[in-house]
Amino acid sequence: MSSILVIDDDPDNFDVIDTFLGQQGYHLHYASNGRTAIDDLDKFKPDLILLDVMMPEMTGIEVCQWIKAMPEWQAVPIIMVTALATKKNLAECFAAGADDFICKPLDRLELIARVRSMLRIHRQYEQIATFNLQLEAMVEQRTAQLHTMVFQDALTNLPSRTFLLDKLTDLFYSGHQSLALIYLDCDQFKMVNGSFGYAVGDQLIIAIAQRLEQYLSPGDVLARMGEDEFCFLVNHIDSPTQLESLIHNILQGFQANFTVADCEIFMTVCAGATYTRDRHQQPEELLQEADTAMYQAKLRGKGSYQLFQHQMHLEILNRLILENDLQRALKHEEFILYYQPIIHLGTQTLVGFEALLRWQHPERNLVPPGEFIPCMETTGLIVPVGLMSLTQACQQLSTWQQQGWMDLTLSVNLSTRQFACPSLLADIDHILAETAINPAQLKLEITESAIMDNAEMAIDLAKELRSRQIQISIDDFGTGYSSLAYLHRLPVDSLKIDRSFVSQIQTDNRNYQIVKTIIGLGRQLNLAVIAEGIETSQQLEWLKELDCEFGQGYLFSRPIPATEIEQLYLTRS
């Protein structure tokens, strides 16, 4: 346990520090003045000192100079705590020997970070001091061990990332111009550790390394880059075709299973590759290109590979910017809901609305959902944004119900991640209690893929939702995995025909037959069927001909704000 000495004439300041650091596992000591602290250093044996600058009798600057002049304590890091943050004051602190400073009033996260940093540095200096105290005969042995740790992976005995970069540097400076990097990452390796344990995982890594070594040619290097990541440095690559041929051979090598600890394990990898003829390129840049290509390959699925293309850097940068913007958008409540009317096709009367998420960007105005929804799905931001959307939709439904529109339904989409969220039911119960809506008029739309990810869980969850009188609709029906085997067990109220079928519907074509089948299935199961994406009068006529009961689309209205909904649809003559 690290020992921290706080020197401050005001005990209240110590109480603040104790509160901030109390849960970090440190042993805190307090001295009310510099002389007491210096006299009791042997008793406190501090690993770090937090020293107030402004103290009577002996200032923090003087205390710092005194301690740094003592050989046995001069290596202990001192963080000056000061309300004076001018350049002159800070210069005096550093001139006195201080290692760092922190300004008052103290910020908890900053204090924890600076204390950790200084303690880490102190431990490093202690380690160096320990090495220096070793017998001179052991220096060469220790140096060799350090060299091995840096340049060789301890588990597989393969070269390390550092070795690979050094080798790349040597090749570049020697004028070598034709080489490639192939960056490999195992698919879902964490499942092996989770299922079989880390010992089996380590054995699998060794087996993978041994299999990969079969593809080494003289002069090539195979390095282990991380837990389940490897990288080939390949000499004498003359073309992308030659590089792709090697990658194909490596990926095919993973078609055979691995037998580890009497377990048969199948493992695939994704590969990203780049090659260069430009000796002016930096080694780190080449490695970054291969890593970027590997990331793109993983987005395409297991066992994929990708050659680096220069626009990938821009794509990654744009993705990071988008993720940051979305985090900011959630914080600043930039997400809003638009509403699209749902119409009874036979009577052309309004029956409800679908709430659709929009992003009111401060500079770009409304951002199309296709630009940001996939990113939110990938990052998991869809869960808090989805909860916010559901809350906002129920608040709007409550307003309309209070205005007397008790028969209108409001459909809200649940993403796959949101549907699998353990707190979903509790969140919904809270929203229902808060908004006091009639839950029978709320319809939650889930996709087939969300159901098929865990069908039994989906059935149980749907039953819980129905027990609250909430309606359930399967969105984009027919586009995902087949849910027919579970459809009769799901307490579903309606099916939504995906717009891709509606947009291409023509008499007697394939989409026409699919739509006809879905409508017939809904009729047999006593489920309402809603067609989305209706844009033309001809599409409407075909759907009415097939006896589709409900629909929505640009033919009736685009999604519009709640204020326009009230002006256009919710007025009483």
Side-chain angles (χ1 to χ4, degrees):
M1 179 184 294
S2 297
S3 175
I4 299 176
L5 172 60
V6 180
I7 308 174
D8 198 307
D9 61 305
D10 187 348
D12 289 341
N13 291 335
F14 173 78
D15 292 339
V16 172
I17 294 173
D18 183 54
T19 300
F20 285 171
L21 299 180
Q23 301 299 319
Q24 303 301 313
Y26 304 130
H27 192 185
L28 296 179
H29 305 281
Y30 173 63
S32 60
N33 59 73
R35 178 52 58 191
T36 300
I38 293 171
D39 292 341
D40 290 337
L41 283 174
D42 287 328
K43 181 177 74 173
F44 296 140
K45 293 182 169 37
D47 298 301
L48 172 69
I49 297 173
L50 291 171
L51 175 57
D52 185 29
V53 173
M54 302 298 294
M55 292 190 298
E57 298 180 7
M58 195 174 189
T59 69
I61 299 293
E62 295 171 332
V63 175
C64 182
Q65 291 172 332
W66 194 285
I67 294 175
K68 289 298 183 179
M70 303 169 70
E72 65 271 35
W73 301 113
Q74 62 185 197
V76 175
I78 297 176
I79 299 178
M80 305 298 288
V81 183
T82 175
L84 304 174
T86 66
K87 292 182 179 180
K88 180 181 178 182
N89 298 130
L90 299 181
E92 290 178 349
C93 291
F94 287 124
D99 301 275
D100 200 355
F101 73 94
I102 187 169
C103 295
K104 294 180 180 179
L106 297 178
D107 177 85
R108 176 179 173 274
L109 293 179
E110 182 184 11
L111 178 64
I112 291 173
R114 290 182 182 272
V115 167
R116 285 178 177 173
S117 176
M118 285 296 103
L119 286 173
R120 183 171 64 251
I121 293 172
H122 181 53
R123 285 192 293 269
Q124 292 171 348
Y125 275 112
E126 286 183 331
Q127 291 171 356
I128 293 173
T130 300
F131 279 124
N132 290 335
L133 292 175
Q134 298 298 321
L135 295 173
E136 190 172 334
M138 297 180 62
V139 171
E140 184 175 350
Q141 177 186 358
R142 295 295 187 186
T143 303
Q145 291 176 347
L146 179 61
H147 184 277
T148 300
M149 291 171 59
V150 172
F151 291 99
Q152 184 177 349
D153 175 60
L155 179 63
T156 63
N157 294 325
L158 290 177
S160 67
R161 178 192 182 94
T162 303
F163 181 92
L164 181 72
L165 285 171
D166 283 358
K167 182 67 174 179
L168 266 175
T169 302
D170 291 342
L171 289 173
F172 278 23
Y173 285 141
S174 67
H176 196 94
Q177 297 183 13
S178 178
L179 54 87
L181 289 180
I182 304 174
Y183 206 113
L184 302 171
D185 182 86
C186 297
D187 296 318
Q188 296 182 322
F189 179 78
K190 287 181 172 56
M191 292 182 62
V192 176
N193 283 337
S195 301
F196 300 103
Y198 285 93
V200 174
D202 286 347
Q203 293 181 50
L204 178 59
I205 288 294
I206 294 172
I208 291 173
Q210 292 171 346
R211 186 171 295 184
L212 290 175
E213 285 180 310
Q214 301 174 18
Y215 300 97
L216 285 171
S217 297
D220 293 350
V221 175
L222 172 63
R224 186 184 180 202
M225 308 299 285
E227 180 184 25
D228 59 340
E229 298 178 351
F230 300 86
C231 188
F232 280 94
L233 166 58
V234 186
N235 277 297
H236 308 298
I237 287 292
D238 298 322
S239 68
T241 302
Q242 185 181 357
L243 179 58
E244 287 188 89
S245 177
L246 175 57
I247 295 173
H248 278 298
N249 290 337
I250 294 172
L251 296 183
Q252 287 177 356
F254 282 82
Q255 292 180 356
N257 68 289
F258 295 87
T259 302
V260 177
D262 297 326
C263 299
E264 186 180 51
I265 301 175
F266 288 89
M267 178 60 59
T268 59
V269 295
C270 284
T274 186
Y275 78 103
T276 183
R277 292 178 176 273
D278 181 8
R279 65 176 177 172
H280 299 294
Q281 194 173 18
Q282 294 300 312
E284 292 83 359
E285 294 175 352
L286 196 66
L287 185 59
Q288 182 183 9
E289 289 179 0
D291 192 15
T292 298
M294 184 272 293
Y295 174 79
Q296 293 294 328
K298 291 192 78 69
L299 294 178
R300 296 168 58 183
K302 296 180 182 179
S304 301
Y305 78 92
Q306 175 68 55
L307 297 185
F308 175 77
Q309 299 172 355
H310 286 287
Q311 71 267 23
M312 289 180 181
H313 277 319
L314 183 59
E315 292 173 358
I316 295 294
L317 178 60
N318 289 337
R319 172 64 179 271
L320 290 174
I321 293 174
L322 177 59
E323 290 182 11
N324 290 335
D325 284 351
L326 288 172
Q327 292 284 355
R328 187 211 67 242
L330 178 60
K331 179 179 179 181
H332 294 286
E333 299 182 350
E334 295 173 9
F335 295 108
I336 59 176
L337 290 182
Y338 273 35
Y339 300 88
Q340 186 172 43
I342 299 174
I343 305 297
H344 187 285
L345 299 185
T347 63
Q348 296 288 290
T349 56
L350 177 72
V351 295
F353 301 96
E354 179 180 1
L356 297 166
L357 185 66
R358 296 293 184 265
W359 179 12
Q360 185 68 56
H361 195 281
E363 297 174 359
R364 299 173 56 191
N365 295 323
L366 280 182
V367 181
E371 287 191 28
F372 66 89
I373 294 292
C375 182
M376 290 202 302
E377 290 277 9
T378 302
T379 60
L381 194 62
I382 193 68
V383 175
V385 173
L387 180 60
M388 179 219 68
S389 299
L390 181 59
T391 302
Q392 194 177 124
C394 289
Q395 289 170 343
Q396 185 61 66
L397 180 59
S398 176
T399 299
W400 289 336
Q401 288 181 349
Q402 290 173 23
Q403 293 173 354
W405 303 98
M406 300 301 297
D407 295 331
L408 294 177
T409 62
L410 185 60
S411 300
V412 183
N413 292 282
L414 288 184
S415 71
T416 300
R417 283 201 177 208
Q418 201 177 356
F419 191 65
C421 183
S423 64
L424 177 63
L425 283 175
D427 292 334
I428 289 175
D429 287 339
H430 175 74
I431 294 171
L432 292 178
E434 185 180 69
T435 59
I437 63 168
N438 177 6
Q441 303 309 113
L442 176 64
K443 183 179 294 185
L444 299 180
E445 296 187 4
I446 56 178
T447 62
E448 284 186 279
S449 57
I451 296 171
M452 297 310 296
D453 281 348
N454 190 334
E456 295 301 327
M457 181 276 291
I459 292 170
D460 292 340
L461 181 55
K463 290 179 179 178
E464 288 286 344
L465 293 172
R466 283 300 303 276
S467 71
R468 291 159 171 78
Q469 297 183 300
I470 297 172
Q471 298 186 54
I472 305 293
S473 178
I474 299 182
D475 194 17
D476 301 336
F477 188 77
T479 61
Y481 301 100
S482 173
S483 57
L484 295 179
Y486 299 94
L487 194 56
H488 69 285
R489 297 173 55 197
L490 280 163
V492 175
D493 298 276
S494 58
L495 307 176
K496 292 196 77 171
I497 303 174
D498 186 66
R499 65 182 67 250
S500 62
F501 298 128
V502 175
S503 64
Q504 301 296 324
I505 189 173
Q506 293 181 16
T507 305
D508 295 331
N509 74 353
R510 183 180 180 185
N511 283 340
Y512 186 93
Q513 297 301 325
I514 292 175
V515 172
K516 181 179 180 180
T517 300
I518 295 174
I519 294 172
L521 178 64
R523 188 179 300 112
Q524 292 177 17
L525 296 177
N526 197 29
L527 302 176
V529 177
I530 305 124
E532 54 184 1
I534 305 173
E535 298 184 358
T536 68
S537 299
Q538 184 62 70
Q539 292 169 356
L540 174 60
E541 291 305 315
W542 277 323
L543 289 167
K544 290 170 66 175
E545 178 183 300
L546 292 172
D547 202 22
C548 182
E549 192 172 4
F550 303 103
Q552 63 187 98
Y554 287 0
L555 179 64
F556 307 112
S557 172
R558 292 174 176 269
I560 55 178
T563 53
E564 294 185 34
I565 287 290
E566 293 173 358
Q567 293 171 4
L568 295 175
Y569 295 97
L570 304 185
T571 57
R572 300 184 186 275
S573 57

